Amino acid sequence: MRPAATVPSTARREDNNDERVATMSPRGPRAPSVGSQGATLSDVAQAAGVSMATASRAINGSPDRVVGEELRRRVLEAAARLDYSPDANAQAMARGRTATVGLIVHDIADPYFSAIATGVAAAADDEHLAVTLANTQHDPQRELAFVRTLQEQRARAIILAGGRQDDERANAALRAALETYRSHGGTVALIGQPVLGVSTVQADNTGGAAALASELLRLGYRRYGILAGPKAHLTARERLDGFAGVLESAGVTPEAVVNSAFTRDGGYAALAELRRRAPDVEVVWAVNDVMALGAMTSARDAGLSVPGDLAFAGFDDIATLRDVAPPLTTVHLPLAEMGRLATPLALDVDGGVRQLSVTGEVVLRDSTPRM
Amino acid sequence: MRPAATVPSTARREDNNDERVATMSPRGPRAPSVGSQGATLSDVAQAAGVSMATASRAINGSPDRVVGEELRRRVLEAAARLDYSPDANAQAMARGRTATVGLIVHDIADPYFSAIATGVAAAADDEHLAVTLANTQHDPQRELAFVRTLQEQRARAIILAGGRQDDERANAALRAALETYRSHGGTVALIGQPVLGVSTVQADNTGGAAALASELLRLGYRRYGILAGPKAHLTARERLDGFAGVLESAGVTPEAVVNSAFTRDGGYAALAELRRRAPDVEVVWAVNDVMALGAMTSARDAGLSVPGDLAFAGFDDIATLRDVAPPLTTVHLPLAEMGRLATPLALDVDGGVRQLSVTGEVVLRDSTPRM
DNA sequence: CTGTTAGCGCCTTCAC
DNA sequence: GTGAAGGCGCTAACAG
């Protein structure tokens, strides 16, 4: 399985980095001493023969005042010549606000979150904001810690992505941290459930799952196995409620409902348990796509064919699905768009707590053929 | 395909956010005026009846001086009581350096980059550094712009992830921007090719691809189709060279070599072209996994079975592969580890330009059965 | 339209 | 071990 490369190694030339010479700007000697940390606005002003105020206005175009054509040109020229780079930290201090938003995710390697991150990054870019990424690794402690760190950085806004837990203790702690952050002038938005008292972008999990259940029923499925995720996970629970509710009104009872982590590995492990508890299931629905994918792989590893022996469905419509075979039936969520939407919500200075809701769309694919 | 949810909408309760009350700290009245932006160190010092210097030392433990037990306790107590949150921007100014590293990636939604980001985030965390994420969307202009932005933020280090292009114009511009950044005190590391005159973590692309080719030959494959990525992309080129080199020494000439974007969609599109040019290929090798996955889907969309009609192999071993069927043969790269490794390299203050090399490991899977 | 003058919040020599 | 004072780089009132 893992043969070493028994090949004439043309590879691995280690040090062809000799081009790091003569990269100095060909514009003549830089002003200050060697090893300088760069020119300051004061240097620029002096070089241009104007006051710092004028230099500042010329470079950053202050709201009110406008600088005369001639001086402006001189300032800009001097700035360029000196490789002047405004110090964002100093600007932040003087202006009393930064140009940074924080993005807190559970796991940036999860396609769900990286899609959201894409949306946030795009929106932030439009607003000329930098985004500080915080990866909690699913640890609520770290989530808390990151809120504090972001507060210390005076990030203008924080976007928290990821469903909340039904854990009043943890929620209370986070709520308090966010409240402190807000009392310090920050603003917050959440992508998940509105249980933190902040603006929220939420997906219609219940409705989407319900719609999916309806479709599966219509396709003729009657024996359901459900990978429900963690009991306390609100997203998981909402989806489960929506799905199970429809089954129930149709007089169908799931063969088994298995709880597990909300992750790919959680799905993989849960499938084995599901089969133990209910060997004769027709279709497995997992409350999110990564779990469904893990479960599908688990089923295959156990010798089952998909969808021949077992059909599968998920939720989210992560990008990964484009290349999965058979294509996975799911509920499409506009993930990047949700990240995009959350950004202005988070930046909202009115202090108003707003809610945005996006709906999911059932997408039937080959993993759930008509029975 | 897209039925609306015709379900009793228990869903979408919009505003259960009434819990945003009474979240104020139960520790008595906050000191300053309403709408305060938070206590400053000076407030804390005053409340503790000590000088700012002492307060500062008590809270951040300055290098030399140590604060007495009693005063230290009083300061910490006051800080807690006032919800004091140190201002990282002010600290950055006073100290002359920030606690931020910048991470520039082409596309955070690409599993290759999100894996690297995970490693960087973990390593940065260990060093108590925040990471600013810059998503270039494959645009060299934006890459340049982000270097400048990160410089303005005075990010302590920048990590550039992603293979370089053979575009001396673009490289020169980037090299100059990085040089400026470095002259301002920043440090840089690159994950890719050492063509920018900065410390680099590089994968042994040539060796890995060569080893893969050897294995495929050993399995009996003789008719190769290669999805080579962009001609100017150095990673693509290195891999191609390694692979083609081994084929050549074995007296095998690829049936076709198709260029395309280095992305999933590039792979998808390229496969059609490949089949047009060489209908009788036995195995398709793409220079990275996302291309291979796109190509596999393309083949299936064209009615081929994998690996029955056509075998596939890739490069990188992205996490996605765990749930792909049939499992894709590839060259494993320790992506997260590469991100981890790049971080200390980037932080290196010695100014030394260092090179680190990681090797790839061929992983044979079901997508390339023995012929 | 341009210049002067205060700080923004914190750290850090330097004295005591 | 503690305090006083200067300054990091920039912006934002105020005056002219």
Side-chain angles (χ1 to χ4, degrees):
Chain A
M1 256 318 238
R2 295 179 157 179
T6 51
V7 186
S9 179
T10 12
R12 204 171 317 177
R13 43 203 163 104
E14 298 266 322
D15 47 5
N16 50 342
N17 55 303
D18 311 277
E19 55 275 69
R20 71 191 182 88
V21 296
T23 25
M24 312 176 42
S25 48
R27 313 181 194 98
R30 291 271 307 288
S33 62
V34 179
S36 73
Q37 292 291 303
T40 74
L41 186 60
S42 153
D43 295 334
V44 174
Q46 201 171 328
V50 302
S51 72
M52 281 184 60
T54 298
S56 174
R57 295 193 271 248
I59 290 176
N60 293 312
S62 83
D64 43 343
R65 274 68 189 65
V66 179
V67 180
E69 193 53 42
E70 162 63 3
L71 287 194
R72 147 188 235 75
R73 208 188 43 65
R74 256 164 51 197
V75 170
L76 263 28
E77 189 274 330
R81 186 157 42 79
L82 296 179
D83 261 350
Y84 172 69
S85 167
D87 183 326
N89 293 296
Q91 293 184 141
M93 281 207 67
R95 298 209 256 241
R97 74 196 145 74
T98 63
T100 301
V101 303
L103 171 63
I104 303 182
V105 300
H106 293 339
D107 178 10
I108 191 63
D110 181 326
Y112 176 87
F113 291 107
S114 61
I116 288 178
T118 298
V120 170
D125 230 49
D126 291 348
E127 305 290 331
H128 302 292
L129 263 24
V131 10
T132 296
L133 176 68
N135 204 208
T136 69
Q137 312 280 43
H138 298 279
D139 179 352
Q141 292 302 320
R142 291 164 55 88
E143 196 168 43
L144 258 181
F146 277 130
V147 169
R148 301 218 175 86
T149 299
L150 258 7
Q151 176 177 317
E152 297 186 355
Q153 297 200 166
R154 301 296 184 262
R156 197 190 285 187
I158 292 180
I159 298 170
L160 266 152
R164 296 296 100 198
Q165 302 276 144
D166 178 16
D167 175 346
E168 191 42 43
R169 218 178 140 63
N171 286 347
L174 186 53
R175 208 179 291 134
L178 291 177
E179 186 58 34
T180 300
Y181 172 67
R182 294 169 68 177
S183 80
H184 282 242
T187 53
V188 184
L190 169 68
I191 300 178
Q193 289 78 25
V195 298
L196 256 31
V198 301
S199 290
T200 303
V201 174
Q202 63 182 318
D204 180 9
N205 290 311
T206 316
L212 176 60
S214 296
E215 289 302 315
L216 293 177
L217 283 170
R218 199 172 59 67
L219 288 175
Y221 290 96
R222 286 298 175 274
R223 310 183 65 80
Y224 291 82
I226 300 182
L227 305 186
K231 276 190 176 133
H233 197 288
L234 294 182
T235 301
R237 187 188 291 177
E238 290 174 2
R239 293 176 183 180
L240 177 60
D241 287 350
F243 196 90
V246 168
L247 290 193
E248 188 180 338
S249 3
V252 172
T253 306
E255 307 298 310
V257 177
V258 178
N259 293 106
S260 74
F262 207 57
T263 62
R264 183 267 180 196
D265 288 342
Y268 187 96
L271 188 86
E273 170 67 10
L274 173 66
R275 291 197 61 231
R276 211 167 299 128
R277 306 230 303 251
D280 52 355
V281 155
E282 294 166 347
V283 59
V284 172
W285 174 62
V287 293
N288 72 28
D289 285 341
V290 292
M291 288 179 64
L293 291 183
M296 245 168 83
T297 298
S298 178
R300 285 197 172 107
D301 286 354
L304 299 181
S305 92
V306 178
D309 296 328
L310 199 49
F312 278 89
F315 201 115
D316 284 340
D317 201 17
I318 55 177
T320 313
L321 296 194
R322 297 202 296 171
D323 298 315
V324 161
L328 186 70
T329 287
T330 191
V331 178
H332 174 83
L333 245 34
L335 298 173
E337 179 64 14
M338 288 166 68
R340 246 186 200 298
L341 288 172
T343 309
L345 256 199
L347 259 12
D348 198 335
V349 198
D350 314 351
V353 175
R354 298 198 297 153
Q355 311 295 330
L356 243 50
S357 192
V358 304
T359 60
E361 225 174 349
V362 175
V363 189
L364 261 18
R365 301 200 177 106
D366 295 349
S367 67
T368 55
R370 180 172 293 282
M371 283 296 281
Chain B
M1 263 309 242
R2 297 181 157 178
T6 50
V7 186
S9 179
T10 10
R12 204 172 318 177
R13 44 204 163 100
E14 298 266 321
D15 46 8
N16 50 342
N17 55 304
D18 310 278
E19 54 276 67
R20 71 194 183 83
V21 295
T23 26
M24 310 176 41
S25 49
R27 314 185 194 95
R30 289 272 308 288
S33 61
V34 179
S36 74
Q37 293 291 302
T40 74
L41 186 61
S42 153
D43 296 333
V44 174
Q46 201 171 328
V50 302
S51 71
M52 281 184 63
T54 298
S56 173
R57 296 195 269 247
I59 290 176
N60 293 312
S62 84
D64 43 342
R65 275 67 188 66
V66 178
V67 181
E69 193 52 42
E70 162 63 3
L71 287 194
R72 151 189 231 72
R73 208 187 44 65
R74 256 161 55 195
V75 169
L76 263 27
E77 190 274 332
R81 185 157 43 79
L82 297 180
D83 261 349
Y84 171 69
S85 167
D87 184 326
N89 294 295
Q91 293 184 140
M93 280 207 67
R95 298 207 255 242
R97 75 196 145 74
T98 62
T100 301
V101 303
L103 171 62
I104 303 183
V105 299
H106 292 339
D107 178 10
I108 191 63
D110 182 325
Y112 176 87
F113 291 106
S114 61
I116 288 178
T118 297
V120 170
D125 231 49
D126 291 347
E127 305 289 331
H128 302 291
L129 263 24
V131 9
T132 296
L133 176 69
N135 204 208
T136 70
Q137 312 278 44
H138 299 278
D139 179 352
Q141 292 302 320
R142 290 164 55 87
E143 196 166 44
L144 258 182
F146 277 129
V147 170
R148 301 216 175 87
T149 299
L150 257 7
Q151 176 177 317
E152 297 187 353
Q153 298 200 164
R154 301 297 186 260
R156 197 190 289 186
I158 292 180
I159 298 170
L160 267 152
R164 298 294 100 199
Q165 303 274 143
D166 177 16
D167 176 348
E168 192 40 44
R169 218 177 140 63
N171 286 347
L174 187 52
R175 208 180 290 133
L178 291 177
E179 187 58 34
T180 300
Y181 172 67
R182 293 168 65 168
S183 79
H184 282 242
T187 53
V188 185
L190 169 69
I191 300 177
Q193 289 77 24
V195 297
L196 256 29
V198 301
S199 290
T200 304
V201 174
Q202 65 182 318
D204 179 10
N205 290 312
T206 316
L212 176 61
S214 296
E215 288 303 314
L216 293 176
L217 283 169
R218 199 171 58 69
L219 288 175
Y221 290 97
R222 287 297 176 273
R223 310 183 66 80
Y224 291 80
I226 300 183
L227 306 187
K231 278 191 175 131
H233 197 290
L234 295 183
T235 300
R237 188 187 290 176
E238 290 174 1
R239 293 177 182 179
L240 178 60
D241 287 351
F243 196 91
V246 168
L247 290 193
E248 189 179 339
S249 2
V252 173
T253 304
E255 308 298 312
V257 177
V258 178
N259 293 105
S260 73
F262 206 58
T263 62
R264 184 268 179 195
D265 289 343
Y268 188 97
L271 187 87
E273 171 67 10
L274 174 66
R275 293 197 58 229
R276 211 169 296 129
R277 305 232 301 254
D280 52 354
V281 156
E282 292 165 346
V283 59
V284 172
W285 174 63
V287 292
N288 72 28
D289 285 340
V290 293
M291 289 179 64
L293 291 183
M296 243 169 82
T297 299
S298 178
R300 287 197 172 106
D301 286 354
L304 299 181
S305 91
V306 178
D309 296 328
L310 198 50
F312 277 89
F315 202 115
D316 284 340
D317 201 19
I318 54 176
T320 314
L321 296 194
R322 297 201 297 169
D323 298 314
V324 162
L328 186 70
T329 287
T330 190
V331 178
H332 175 82
L333 245 35
L335 298 174
E337 180 64 14
M338 289 166 70
R340 244 184 200 300
L341 289 171
T343 309
L345 256 199
L347 259 10
D348 199 335
V349 199
D350 314 349
V353 175
R354 299 198 296 152
Q355 312 294 331
L356 244 48
S357 192
V358 303
T359 59
E361 222 173 347
V362 175
V363 188
L364 262 17
R365 301 201 177 105
D366 296 349
S367 67
T368 56
R370 179 171 296 282
M371 282 297 282

